[in-house]
Amino acid sequence: MKTVELPLVEDTEEFGRKLGELVRAGDLLLLAGPLGAGKTALVRGLARGLGVQGRVSSPTFVVARVHEPAEGGRGVRLVHVDAYRLGGHLDELDDLDLDTDLVDAVVAVEWGEGVAERLNEDHLLIRLERGIDDIRTASLIPHGEWTARTLPV
């Protein structure tokens, strides 16, 4: 496990951008943490690092958003999922067909810990915390082939 301190929202987005430059099609990222910890901010940076189209916002009410590659981007789609409203119902996760997206897209699942690990044993769990001093930290916990990859810390 590696931990990085992210004092400002901009630091969280920058960390996500660096991660977005490293991820590749088929990667699964699970984001965990309480409200306001920076999950969506991290995905905004991830989208910038991947070079995808569209404004990144929390997909809470639509459950999933697909961001297509922008011209000059890395050519990889980003699927941004909010598993909060799924309430841990695995059949609802199956209905999203994310295993298909894992072939040619990066899939980032907010509230994914304890729900989406089964999509791919090779995944990166990112636990975001917000301290009393309002400073955020991200703990990166690699699983499977992610243990051998370089992480942006």
Side-chain angles (χ1 to χ4, degrees):
M1 178 170 77
K2 296 182 179 188
T3 302
V4 60
E5 193 171 280
L6 306 165
L8 305 171
V9 172
E10 293 82 9
D11 296 317
T12 304
E13 289 181 8
E14 178 60 15
F15 173 75
R17 184 194 62 76
K18 289 177 183 176
L19 187 58
E21 291 176 350
L22 297 174
V23 294
R24 53 188 183 242
D27 282 346
L28 174 62
L29 307 174
L30 306 180
L31 308 176
L35 288 171
K39 296 179 293 295
T40 302
L42 190 139
V43 177
R44 270 195 306 271
L46 182 69
R48 196 166 51 249
L50 277 168
V52 296
Q53 299 175 31
R55 183 174 84 72
V56 172
S57 59
S58 179
T60 300
F61 297 104
V62 295
V63 182
R65 294 183 192 279
V66 177
H67 298 275
E68 297 294 336
E71 189 174 320
R74 297 195 39 225
V76 178
R77 291 184 310 128
L78 171 64
V79 178
H80 182 197
V81 179
D82 187 330
Y84 183 79
R85 291 190 53 204
L86 299 180
H89 299 289
L90 300 179
D91 54 334
E92 291 181 30
L93 186 66
D94 287 340
D95 290 343
L96 295 176
D97 244 359
L98 295 177
D99 50 347
T100 302
D101 289 317
L102 278 168
V103 173
D104 63 358
V106 171
V107 177
V109 184
E110 293 190 29
W111 304 96
E113 186 176 21
V115 178
E117 292 91 343
R118 68 189 186 89
L119 292 172
N120 191 340
E121 66 183 36
D122 301 323
H123 61 271
L124 179 62
L125 172 60
I126 304 171
R127 284 196 188 124
L128 294 152
E129 298 292 330
R130 189 173 189 170
I132 296 170
D133 54 4
D134 211 32
I135 293 180
R136 292 168 180 85
T137 57
S139 298
L140 284 71
I141 305 156
H143 294 270
E145 70 95 21
W146 272 95
T147 59
R149 291 179 57 183
T150 302
L151 300 173
V153 281

